[in-house]
Amino acid sequence: MLKLEAVHAAYGNIRALRGISLSVERGEIVTMIGANGAGKTTTLKTILGVLRARQGRILFEEERIDGLPPHQVVQRGIASSPEGRRIFPRMTVLENLELGAFARTDAANVRRDTEWVLELFPRLRERLGQKGGTLSGGEQQMLAIGRALMARPRVLLLDEPSMGLSPILVQTIFSIIRDINREGTAILVVEQNARMALSVAHRGYVIQTGEIVLEGAARDLMTNEEVRKAYLGT
C-alpha cells in the first residue's frame, strides 16, 4: 500500500534521511525502531508531506504522493497520530474527534465512525464534553489516535504512541493498535519501546542516522543479537 523508494530529506543543510526504502503491505503492522535523532519522525513527516522529499519516490497504492500537501495526503487515505499527541487542549474530546474528519463529506459515516472510535476507547466516551487539555497522558494518547482514525485512513502512522505512559497503559494502547489492525487498517508505528513494537508488528526496520541498516520479520529482529544489545537491553 505504501512504499518509499530511496527517499532523501533534509532540514536546511542537515541531511536527515539518506536513501530510505521501506514498504507497508495491506493488513500489516510495520514498525521502525531506532535511537533519538535517527530519522524515525522525519520519515513520517516526509510521508505526510510536512517535509518535502528531496530525492526518491513515495507511492501510496501505486500512485506518487511525494510533492502533495499534507491535506491531500490525508484525503488519499493516510493519517497520523503525531509524537507528543498534539491534541487541541481548549477543545472538547468530541470537537477534537470531529476535527479528525475535517476532509470528509460523508456525515452519516462520520457519525458511525465516531461511535466506532468510542467503542475502541470507552474512556473517551465518558469524557466527550471535557476539554482535551484536562485529560491524563494516556487519555490524550487515545484521543490523538482516535482523531487520526476519524479520517478513516487505510494506512495509520503512529509516532511514539507509548511515550510517557505507564506500563499498564502501554499494554492497553498496543492492544488497541492490534484491534485497529484487525479492522483492516495497515499501520506504520515508530517507537522507542522496541520490545513492545516488535511484539505486535509483522515486520520491522532499524534506522540509524537516516539510513535503514536492518529489516526483516519482527520475530527475527527480536532474536537478532545486534538488535537485542542496542534496543532490547539484553
Side-chain angles (χ1 to χ4, degrees):
M1 294 190 77
L2 177 66
K3 182 183 288 188
L4 279 67
E5 298 178 342
V7 171
H8 294 252
Y11 297 101
N13 293 324
I14 301 172
R15 294 176 62 195
L17 300 182
R18 305 163 182 262
I20 291 284
S21 294
L22 62 82
S23 65
V24 179
E25 304 295 339
R26 196 174 305 277
E28 277 192 319
I29 299 177
V30 175
T31 187
M32 177 183 287
I33 61 174
N36 272 337
K40 304 186 301 296
T41 295
T42 298
T43 300
L44 300 190
K45 286 182 176 180
T46 307
I47 292 169
L48 287 166
V50 175
L51 183 67
R52 290 292 181 93
R54 293 196 174 180
Q55 294 180 43
R57 304 196 306 166
I58 303 174
L59 297 99
F60 179 60
E61 296 183 328
E62 304 301 328
E63 293 185 3
R64 290 189 68 168
I65 60 171
D66 51 289
L68 293 180
H71 72 277
Q72 289 187 17
V73 174
V74 173
Q75 289 170 341
R76 294 289 181 95
I78 301 175
S80 170
S81 173
E83 181 181 9
R85 295 139 198 172
R86 304 284 182 88
I87 64 165
F88 296 96
R90 296 184 181 181
M91 302 181 75
T92 66
V93 167
L94 181 58
E95 289 167 340
N96 270 273
L97 292 176
E98 290 172 341
L99 275 175
F102 80 96
R104 297 176 58 177
T105 56
D106 51 336
N109 290 330
V110 168
R111 287 192 293 272
R112 181 198 65 197
D113 289 341
T114 302
E115 185 61 30
W116 172 58
V117 168
L118 296 177
E119 288 174 6
L120 281 172
F121 302 105
R123 202 174 301 185
L124 296 183
R125 188 188 297 277
E126 301 168 8
R127 290 158 172 73
L128 274 180
Q130 192 170 324
K131 296 290 178 60
T134 67
L135 301 179
S136 69
E139 290 163 350
Q140 289 188 15
Q141 186 62 68
M142 294 174 188
L143 180 55
I145 296 174
R147 182 182 59 190
L149 289 174
M150 288 299 296
R152 254 308 176 184
R154 295 190 292 284
V155 174
L156 175 64
L157 309 180
L158 299 176
D159 195 351
E160 303 288 2
S162 76
M163 181 180 289
L165 302 185
S166 69
I168 292 176
L169 276 175
V170 170
Q171 293 282 351
T172 299
I173 290 294
F174 275 90
S175 176
I176 291 169
I177 288 171
R178 282 197 187 98
D179 292 340
I180 294 167
N181 179 248
R182 290 191 192 104
E183 292 280 341
T185 305
I187 298 172
L188 174 59
V189 56
V190 157
E191 183 54 71
Q192 281 197 42
N193 187 337
R195 187 180 302 277
M196 182 58 71
L198 290 171
S199 73
V200 302
H202 300 97
R203 291 188 301 111
Y205 295 86
V206 179
I207 184 171
Q208 292 179 5
T209 59
E211 298 180 84
I212 300 294
V213 296
L214 199 61
E215 62 180 276
R219 61 179 177 273
D220 294 336
L221 293 178
M222 283 278 269
T223 58
N224 180 281
E225 186 173 353
E226 292 180 30
V227 173
R228 290 171 65 86
K229 286 180 179 178
Y231 304 108
L232 303 182
T234 58

